[in-house]
């Protein structure tokens, strides 16, 4: 198993190195090589999964040390990887969905001159994410964490000739630096508290530390998760990241970057379980973000940005589930895996629509596309039904499970969290129905000269595969407690649930909320044109401006920072520099005065000597008398 585990991240990392360093000689075949590399990594992940299944449940954790990385003081870090039930789920998702996105990209990027470089970046993204989820040490995880940030920066800004793409890449990079600082400090706190950063050594001892220390550690880990998973208050980069090619959006939202935060919280579960305050913050962040993203999605006319807002909301559900502790870990992972299928399918469907509509993203310019793009319409439609939770599609099983667990959590607060989750489900039904109707139904509203057409089979085939996952992934994972039983040795067994509300009643409430959202969307999409500014409600205006997330960041962080910087520059230039410059200025002034006594004229010196002699004689006469 050791060589197989090592091969998982090394295969795509080697592919990235070859594609990015191989030069233009690989331009004609680079896309094929990149896709084969991704497929090879998926084969390795599948083989590793089969190997784990062949072991006893308690023995399904296999580690491998690639080499000793570095030592310093009390810190000794091996570049070590570990495959267990949790990491193998992510490995299958990353490589499986990643391979389908590679195949799709062969058609989507067919005419792009930088296609080889694009596939190199995709391979780098897969490799870095696999290092992150397979890491057996918090420092090694940090290595993959930074690699994911680098790959996302390169891919979001891939079309860097567009100022908007370059700006979006920098924004994602800067916002994630905040979270990265949280993870770096968490590494330091972990080492100081436990003397080690290896998961297998410090997580079992989490309860030995003081609650205050664990609270700070949990909050730092949550800060890191908020940045990577675009959760409030570090969510502002996600919508702008849509400036990258659509396959990038699918990869970020379905299989890689935004899932990293959920993984970190679940992996560090013992820390949060021993720190109730930090765990409460996880619940609050998840609940707020699932509503935050859903409200934003209601007002977006750009199809990719509407889907980006939905990702923010769906990740909020996962974070909420992870905040429930052992009762929610398996539910969070189940929803994450199902979401990987239907969200990747939705983004690839959006890319297919853009491909057939001359890169148009405004849904007000769509309409009637179901007739000319039937495969895209059907596969996108199945993803739509899955994300809103229509039975028996995948989202129905995974999201309903989270809502039931939230309602059964801690009395009154459980009712609040469950109520928010149900409200989020209703809003999801509204904005996703709006996307579906504006895009595929109604009268065509295409720009003059636009001739929509179905995408080639190299693009539609991955969409069909993901649509199959959208249908069956939820039932496969949830029914019979499959994913919960499989993950139990790695994340702990869920306690016996005691629900005050019967499961059938929760299902009825959720489906009722979704039905209301769908109905309102059908009625609202009768008038497609955007209302005049005077007719827009304050909430709609706020949603179109991402609930003023950027404005808040500017007011709270950027402008005070600019003011502090300006004050420091003034203090430095007029205070420190002024004091330092005063010394040579004083010396210079004194030298000017002294130079007047050194004229070089003999008569001046004689007159000075005469004057001095007169002064001395006068002084002597006064003294004698």
């Amino acid at each position: 198993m050791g060589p197989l585990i090592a091969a998982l991240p090394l295969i795509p990392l080697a592919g990235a190195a070859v594609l990015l360093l191989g030069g233009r000689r690989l331009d004609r075949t680079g896309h094929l090589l990149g896709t084969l590399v991704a497929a090879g990594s998926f084969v390795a992940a599948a083989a590793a999964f089969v190997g784990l299944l062949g072991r006893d449940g308690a023995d399904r954790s296999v580690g491998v040390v690639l080499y000793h990385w570095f030592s310093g003081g009390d810190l000794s870090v091996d570049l070590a990887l570990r495959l267990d039930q949790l990491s193998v789920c992510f490995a299958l998702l990353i490589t499986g969905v990643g391979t389908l996105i590679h195949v799709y990209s062969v058609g989507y990027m067919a005419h792009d001159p930088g296609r080889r470089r694009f596939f190199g970046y995709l391979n780098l993204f897969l490799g870095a994410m696999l290092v992150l989820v397979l890491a057996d040490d918090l420092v090694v995880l940090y290595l993959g964490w930074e690699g994911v940030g680098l790959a996302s920066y390169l891919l979001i800004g891939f079309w860097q000739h567009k100022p908007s793409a370059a700006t979006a890449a920098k924004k994602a990079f800067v916002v994630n630096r905040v979270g990265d600082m949280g993870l770096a400090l968490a590494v330091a706190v972990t080492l100081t508290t436990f003397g080690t950063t290896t998961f297998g050594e410090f997580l079992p001892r989490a309860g030995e530390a003081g609650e205050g220390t664990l609270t700070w550690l949990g909050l730092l880990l949550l800060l890191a998760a908020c940045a990577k998973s675009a959760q409030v208050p570090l969510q502002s980069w996600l919508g702008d990241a849509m400036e990258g090619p659509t396959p990038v959006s699918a990869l970020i939202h379905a299989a890689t970057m935004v899932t990293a935060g959920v993984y970190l919280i679940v992996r560090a579960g013992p820390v949060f379980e021993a720190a109730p305050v930090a765990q409460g913050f996880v619940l609050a962040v998840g609940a707020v973000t699932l509503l935050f993203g859903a409200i934003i999605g209601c007002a977006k006319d750009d199809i990719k940005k509407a889907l980006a807002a939905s990702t923010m909301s769906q990740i909020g559900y996962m974070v909420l589930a992870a905040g429930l502790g052992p009762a929610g870990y398996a539910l969070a992972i189940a929803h994450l895996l199902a979401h990987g299928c239907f969200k990747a399918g939705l983004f690839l469907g959006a890319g297919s629509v853009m491909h057939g509509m001359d890169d148009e993203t405004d849904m007000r310019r769509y309409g009637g596309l179901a007739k000319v793009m039937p495969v895209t319409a059907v596969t996108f439609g199945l993803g739509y039904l899955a994300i809103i939770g229509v039975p028996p599609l995948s989202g129905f099983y995974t999201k309903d499970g989270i809502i039931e667990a939230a309602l059964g959590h801690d009395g009154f607060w459980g009712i609040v969290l469950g109520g928010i989750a149900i409200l989020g489900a209703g809003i999801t039904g509204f904005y996703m129905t709006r996307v579906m109707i504006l895009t595929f139904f109604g009268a065509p509203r295409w720009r003059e000269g636009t001739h929509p057409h179905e995408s080639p089979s190299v693009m539609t085939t991955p969409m069909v595969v993901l649509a199959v996952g959208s249908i069956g992934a939820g039932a496969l994972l949830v029914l019979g407690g499959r994913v919960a039983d499989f993950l139990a040795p790695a994340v702990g067994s869920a306690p016996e649930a005691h629900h005050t509300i019967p499961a059938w009643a929760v299902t009825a409430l959720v489906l009722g909320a979704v039905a209301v959202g769908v109905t309102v969307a059908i009625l609202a999409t009768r008038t497609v044109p955007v209302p005049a500014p005077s007719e827009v409600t304050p909430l709609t205006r706020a949603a179109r401006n991402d609930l003023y997330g950027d404005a808040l960041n500017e007011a709270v962080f950027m402008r005070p920072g600019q003011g502090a910087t300006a004050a420091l520059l003034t203090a430095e230039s007029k205070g420190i520099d002024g004091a330092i410059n005063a010394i040579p200025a004083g010396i210079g002034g004194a030298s000017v005065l002294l130079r007047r006594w050194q004229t070089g004229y003999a008569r001046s010196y004689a007159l000075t000597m005469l004057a001095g002699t007169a002064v001395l004689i006068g002084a002597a006469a006064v003294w004698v008398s």
Side-chain angles (χ1 to χ4, degrees):
M1 285 286 286
L4 193 60
I5 297 170
L8 271 170
L10 292 179
I11 290 173
L13 289 175
V18 171
L19 290 171
L20 296 176
L21 302 177
R24 294 186 176 181
R25 65 178 66 88
L26 293 175
D27 281 354
R28 292 185 178 181
T29 58
H31 58 290
L32 299 177
L33 175 61
T35 303
L36 288 174
V37 163
S41 189
F42 173 67
V43 170
F49 175 65
V50 173
L52 282 187
L53 292 180
R55 293 169 170 261
D56 293 334
D59 192 33
R60 289 176 179 172
S61 179
V62 184
V64 56
V65 177
L66 301 184
Y67 63 89
H68 178 67
W69 190 6
F70 66 88
S71 299
D74 295 332
L75 179 62
S76 178
V77 177
D78 293 326
L79 192 56
L81 306 178
R82 180 166 297 275
L83 189 76
D84 63 6
Q85 293 89 337
L86 179 61
S87 57
V88 78
C89 288
F90 278 83
L92 288 170
L93 174 69
I94 295 163
T95 58
V97 173
T99 299
L100 293 173
I101 292 172
H102 275 71
V103 174
Y104 178 93
S105 299
V106 171
Y108 192 87
M109 302 294 289
H111 304 293
D112 195 292
R115 183 169 61 171
R116 171 186 55 82
R117 180 166 53 92
F118 179 79
F119 276 82
Y121 292 160
L122 288 184
N123 280 185
L124 176 63
F125 214 160
L126 295 191
M129 189 66 189
L130 286 168
V131 170
L132 191 159
V133 300
L134 292 169
D136 193 29
D137 189 285
L138 198 55
V139 178
V140 181
L141 182 146
Y142 189 82
L143 175 66
W145 195 271
E146 291 299 313
V148 168
L150 171 63
S152 66
Y153 170 77
L154 295 171
L155 285 166
I156 293 169
F158 182 76
W159 288 326
Q160 55 193 347
H161 59 276
K162 297 166 55 180
S164 57
T167 301
K170 288 188 288 186
K171 183 176 181 179
F173 195 81
V174 169
V175 172
N176 273 275
R177 295 289 69 73
V178 179
D180 293 353
M181 182 57 68
L183 185 56
L185 292 173
V187 172
V189 172
T190 301
L191 178 62
T192 303
T193 305
F194 301 103
T196 179
T197 54
T198 301
F199 289 123
E201 295 180 8
F202 81 85
L203 287 178
R205 296 164 46 202
E208 299 175 7
E211 186 174 324
T213 300
L214 291 175
T215 296
W216 281 111
L217 177 58
L219 292 177
L220 290 170
L221 293 172
L222 176 60
L223 178 65
C226 284
K228 275 292 186 286
S229 291
Q231 300 291 283
V232 172
L234 298 177
Q235 80 293 340
S236 61
W237 65 271
L238 191 63
D240 298 75
M242 298 303 97
E243 290 292 338
T246 300
V248 176
S249 303
L251 194 59
I252 288 176
H253 290 249
T256 54
M257 189 158 176
V258 298
T259 65
V262 179
Y263 171 82
L264 181 62
I265 295 172
V266 174
R267 175 61 78 187
V271 172
F272 291 98
E273 292 165 34
V277 173
Q279 193 172 47
F281 271 95
V282 175
L283 290 169
V285 165
V288 170
T289 307
L290 75 85
L291 272 184
F292 199 100
I295 292 171
I296 291 174
C298 294
K300 293 297 183 183
D301 297 313
D302 184 308
I303 187 171
K304 289 177 66 177
K305 290 190 175 182
L307 293 178
S310 80
T311 296
M312 190 191 308
S313 180
Q314 296 304 307
I315 298 293
Y317 276 99
M318 301 171 205
V319 171
L320 172 63
L324 297 174
Y329 292 148
L331 296 170
I333 300 305
H335 193 53
L336 185 147
L337 296 174
H339 178 265
C341 292
F342 60 69
K343 182 50 62 68
L346 288 169
F347 265 109
L348 297 188
S352 179
V353 170
M354 292 167 58
H355 182 270
M357 292 290 291
D358 299 330
D359 290 328
E360 177 64 69
T361 61
D362 191 338
M363 294 182 292
R364 293 169 296 174
R365 298 292 182 180
Y366 292 165
L369 292 179
K371 295 180 180 179
V372 293
M373 305 180 71
V375 177
T376 300
V378 171
T379 55
F380 191 97
L382 289 171
Y384 152 73
L385 293 174
I387 196 172
I388 68 173
V390 172
L393 278 78
S394 59
F396 166 75
Y397 293 100
T398 57
K399 191 189 297 183
D400 270 30
I402 293 174
I403 295 173
E404 288 179 22
L407 286 169
H409 174 75
D410 198 19
F412 170 76
W413 289 112
I415 300 298
V416 172
L417 293 172
I420 291 174
I422 292 172
L423 177 59
I427 300 175
T428 301
F430 171 81
Y431 71 77
M432 286 305 304
T433 301
R434 178 175 177 269
V435 170
M436 191 71 191
I437 293 175
L438 291 183
T439 303
F440 294 104
F441 300 103
R445 302 177 299 277
W446 313 330
R447 294 184 186 275
E448 186 176 352
T450 301
H451 303 288
H453 56 277
E454 186 60 273
S455 298
S457 59
V458 71
M459 293 172 63
T460 56
T461 301
M463 292 158 55
V464 171
V465 175
L466 291 167
V468 173
S470 299
I471 296 171
L476 181 64
L477 293 167
V478 175
L479 293 182
R482 290 186 181 89
V483 71
D485 292 341
F486 179 73
L487 289 172
V491 302
S493 299
E496 185 178 352
H498 297 284
H499 298 307
T500 56
I501 303 177
W504 65 265
V506 175
T507 299
L509 285 172
V510 175
L511 292 179
V514 171
V516 170
V518 171
T519 302
V520 174
I522 293 172
L523 297 175
T525 50
R526 290 179 178 178
T527 55
V528 175
V530 176
S534 59
E535 301 174 0
V536 173
T537 65
L539 181 58
T540 301
R541 189 178 299 110
R544 288 181 182 170
N545 288 282
D546 296 337
L547 296 183
Y548 304 115
D550 286 333
L552 179 64
N553 289 338
E554 290 178 5
V556 175
F557 300 108
M558 190 191 77
R559 291 195 180 93
Q562 287 178 329
T565 302
L568 289 173
L569 287 174
T570 302
E572 181 182 14
S573 60
K574 295 185 178 181
I576 299 175
D577 289 351
I580 294 174
N581 293 333
I583 297 174
I587 295 173
S591 66
V592 170
L593 295 175
L594 290 173
R595 279 199 300 269
R596 295 178 181 178
W597 295 89
Q598 301 293 326
T599 62
Y601 294 111
R603 60 181 180 271
S604 298
Y605 297 153
L607 180 62
T608 302
M609 293 170 64
L610 178 62
T613 301
V615 169
L616 289 174
I617 293 172
V622 171
W623 181 73
V624 171
S625 62

